[in-house]
Amino acid sequence: MSEPVSNPVGGCTEPPAAVTEAEAEDLIRGICFKTGPPRRLGVEVEWLVHELRTPRLPVTPERLEAAYAALRTVPLRSALTVEPGGQLELSSPPAASLTECVTTVSADLAAVRAALREDGLRLAGYGHDPWHPPRRFLHRPRYDAMETCLDRTGPAGRAMMCASASVQVCLDAGYEEPGVLGHVRRWWLAHRLGPVLVAAFANSPLAGGRPTGWRSTRQLRWEQIGAGRAGGPPLDADPRGAWTRHALDAPVMCVRRDGGPWEVPDGLSFREWIRSRGPRPPTRDDLGYHLTTLFPPVRPRGHLELRMIDAQPGDDGWQVPLAVTAALFDDPEAAETAYRAVKPLAERAPDRPAPHNALWRDAARHGLADPELREAAVVCFTAALAALPRLGATTEITDAVAAYLDRYVLRGRCPADDLLDGPDGTHRRPHGKDIRP
């Protein structure tokens, strides 16, 4: 919420100055792409929280509140936050290596699991809740406004807010100069590799206990939210310019107030808000807040945040997408191999930016049953596996990636297929009529 700034003259206060269009463009360019050598890595792991012994029974808000109060006393290195539907998220501090990142988050997750177990709860690794309908746990002005805004495009927004979870990998933007580790190439690779990551790690084929027709229902929900809120900009040679235009032309989610509900304008872009200065003039703080309400599959936040990967099964499943992505971006040889492997896929996405095009849609629907995505995934995972020792990865991490390559990628499968072969989706493959939200 915007706060008035202190005026040293006379002890009075005055509202923050309105931001101009030129200032907004400069701020976005400066904030969102900070270039330099790729040195840091991070991960944000989201989890659904289920009953330990009877996971299909919903957890009451009272039990969640009590468990989270206990969690606040647990010392962690990662930042622990609660999502609107009660999901938990751990955000690692920036790490100097893959091993450091994995070690930190693994220790924090072990502590969180132990604390939840005492309350009869557990972390559940699904991209979309297989059984429970969306239900909001947090009731705050931000989420009230978000729900009102997203409801305009249908119920997918509530599912995203309250019933989804992901593994988000955070990478340095890369060098200013051109080349395999340059920020232009890494931006392009993130968007073209994204469908491969969606397909390989799809883990959300069920909703309401039934197959939805999509391996990644979570990714389907993001697409349904709409391009203005959850889409990326067109890919061109100037990522800064493309993202700046996209952010300023994206719809404003809300206008914050110091008291009472926040206003939720309909169809007002931030650029139009600057020019019209209504319902009040926007400030730099409003611009910063606006950027946090945009949810593209690749979000520039000084670093690149890859947001397209479903939460993974098992205690350590999140380590595989983190390791594979880090290897394909930060090892020059693997990055070049990945670039060549996914370049032909661009022909399937010539018309619309991610994720609102046929390539991303096919990845979410079919997973690695799509032959071209499977072929690209095999090349990329093999390159990542070869690169991990060069990045100093432990044997445990390398073995986990090798096992995933053998169990899923080489067989054209993903974790969603295991769920479809289980009690809820036994041999009911995602074909035929889609179950839309």
Side-chain angles (χ1 to χ4, degrees):
M1 204 175 296
S2 298
E3 299 290 342
V5 296
S6 178
N7 185 343
V9 180
C12 300
T13 61
E14 61 182 27
V19 67
T20 68
E21 195 168 338
E23 288 172 340
E25 291 176 350
D26 290 343
L27 284 168
I28 296 173
R29 286 174 174 270
I31 290 171
C32 294
F33 286 92
K34 296 178 181 177
T35 51
R39 290 175 178 164
R40 295 286 180 177
L41 176 69
V43 67
E44 300 174 13
V45 285
E46 295 175 342
W47 303 86
L48 303 173
V49 178
H50 285 170
E51 292 283 354
L52 180 63
R53 293 177 178 82
T54 52
R56 299 192 190 204
L57 292 180
V59 183
T60 66
E62 293 76 17
R63 291 196 63 217
L64 279 181
E65 186 58 57
Y68 294 168
L71 272 180
R72 295 186 188 102
T73 67
V74 177
L76 303 171
R77 289 194 60 198
S78 303
L80 180 68
T81 54
V82 179
E83 296 297 303
Q87 311 98 307
L88 283 182
E89 178 181 276
L90 269 76
S91 301
S92 73
S97 69
L98 172 62
T99 298
E100 178 187 327
C101 187
V102 168
T103 300
T104 297
V105 177
S106 295
D108 288 342
L109 281 171
V112 169
R113 287 193 179 95
L116 288 176
R117 196 176 302 116
E118 293 183 3
D119 289 296
L121 301 174
R122 70 180 183 96
L123 299 178
Y126 302 101
H128 187 282
D129 198 306
W131 308 299
H132 307 129
R135 181 190 62 180
R136 194 136 66 90
F137 172 70
L138 296 179
H139 294 274
R140 298 174 181 170
R142 171 182 171 90
Y143 300 125
D144 292 343
M146 182 182 293
E147 186 176 275
T148 299
C149 177
L150 296 180
D151 278 351
R152 290 172 178 158
T153 57
R158 295 195 183 200
M160 177 276 291
M161 290 174 63
C162 302
S164 70
S166 68
V167 176
Q168 300 176 16
V169 180
C170 300
L171 304 154
D172 283 333
Y175 288 101
E176 187 70 27
E177 298 80 11
V180 68
L181 298 182
H183 76 285
V184 174
R185 172 74 74 88
R186 286 162 75 86
W187 177 251
W188 187 94
L189 180 61
H191 287 84
R192 294 308 188 209
L193 182 64
V196 177
L197 298 176
V198 169
F201 295 111
N203 185 38
S204 52
L206 306 175
R210 300 174 58 199
T212 64
W214 298 71
R215 258 74 169 196
S216 179
T217 302
R218 173 183 168 274
Q219 185 58 47
L220 168 65
R221 301 302 188 236
W222 281 112
E223 179 191 347
Q224 291 170 329
I225 288 171
R229 184 68 52 204
L235 291 182
D236 60 28
D238 178 19
R240 287 191 183 92
W243 176 251
T244 298
R245 290 188 295 273
H246 177 79
L248 287 179
D249 291 333
V252 172
M253 176 174 284
C254 55
V255 177
R256 296 170 295 167
R257 300 178 184 276
D258 290 331
W262 296 356
E263 185 168 346
V264 184
D266 190 359
L268 176 71
S269 72
F270 201 91
R271 192 186 304 277
E272 292 168 339
W273 188 11
I274 293 174
R275 293 176 177 177
S276 68
R277 300 173 66 86
R280 61 166 175 77
T283 66
R284 291 188 176 201
D285 189 50
D286 289 318
L287 176 62
Y289 189 85
H290 171 67
L291 296 176
T292 72
T293 68
L294 304 180
F295 309 116
V298 183
R299 184 161 65 175
R301 304 185 65 184
H303 55 271
L304 300 183
E305 183 183 83
L306 277 64
R307 303 170 50 85
M308 72 288 293
I309 301 169
D310 279 359
Q312 295 297 287
D315 289 355
D316 302 325
W318 58 273
Q319 297 178 13
V320 175
L322 171 64
V324 169
T325 306
L328 295 179
F329 277 83
D330 290 349
D331 180 83
E333 183 178 337
E336 182 62 27
T337 300
Y339 173 78
R340 294 179 182 276
V342 302
K343 192 173 182 179
L345 296 175
E347 297 178 0
R348 292 171 59 178
D351 50 347
R352 302 186 66 188
H356 298 86
N357 59 54
L359 177 61
W360 283 77
R361 194 171 300 117
D362 289 344
R365 182 193 293 272
H366 303 299
L368 292 186
D370 182 292
E372 290 183 313
L373 287 168
R374 175 186 178 182
E375 181 180 355
V378 169
V379 173
C380 290
F381 272 70
T382 303
L385 188 59
L388 285 172
R390 297 193 291 267
L391 295 179
T394 64
T395 301
E396 290 77 11
I397 295 173
T398 304
D399 287 349
V401 173
Y404 198 96
L405 172 62
D406 179 65
R407 178 176 178 178
Y408 292 116
V409 180
L410 292 174
R411 303 179 187 188
R413 289 176 61 88
C414 56
D417 293 305
D418 293 345
L419 292 172
L420 289 168
D421 289 341
D424 288 301
T426 302
H427 305 301
R428 289 186 289 176
R429 289 292 162 189
H431 62 272
K433 185 177 179 181
D434 301 333
I435 299 176
R436 296 274 173 159

